[in-house]
Amino acid sequence: GGSPETLIRALSRHPSASDLTVAALTGGTDGAGVGLLLEAGIVKRLISSHVGENNHLEDSFFGGRLEVELTPQGTLAARMKAAGSGFPAFYTPTGAGTVYANGGIPVKFKEDGSH
């Protein structure tokens, strides 16, 4: 796969790792990739373009323990490239003029499932 499994495994067990913001193409799967970090409960916010294969992610999101920002794959790649090059921002028309542009989608649910 494309995940640095050894690094992720070590980070998931590190005693001082907490409240991480993770940017990844997917939310991983149960027991692998970013999924290990989610299962360890050390991810506060996930920025990803696909989150459909991880049951723990779903439970954490709807339980109010995880913020999720869904980002189109190309935009996610452009954000990473821009940040790595020192650019603080860039423009993409994706989502412009939609409910997403105005914050219409809840980012975090409360523990009772409401938002």
Side-chain angles (χ1 to χ4, degrees):
S3 297
E5 294 295 332
T6 302
L7 176 64
I8 289 173
R9 209 171 4 268
L11 184 58
S12 71
R13 296 178 185 143
H14 199 280
S16 65
S18 66
D19 294 332
L20 300 178
T21 295
V22 175
L25 180 60
T26 74
T29 57
D30 296 332
V34 174
L36 288 173
L37 301 177
L38 294 168
E39 290 169 18
I42 61 175
V43 179
K44 180 180 179 181
R45 181 176 177 84
L46 176 67
I47 304 168
S48 182
S49 63
H50 177 70
V51 296
E53 297 179 14
N54 188 315
N55 294 321
H56 192 76
L57 186 153
E58 181 180 342
D59 292 342
S60 296
F61 176 68
F62 288 114
R65 297 177 304 280
L66 177 67
E67 297 174 18
V68 175
E69 179 184 331
L70 292 175
T71 303
Q73 184 174 348
T75 303
L76 181 60
R79 286 174 70 180
M80 290 181 175
K81 181 179 178 183
S85 299
F87 291 99
F90 69 96
Y91 174 77
T92 176
T94 305
T98 70
V99 66
Y100 301 101
N102 298 319
I105 303 297
V107 173
K108 185 173 182 179
F109 280 80
K110 296 178 184 171
E111 289 190 27
D112 66 2
S114 65
H115 57 271

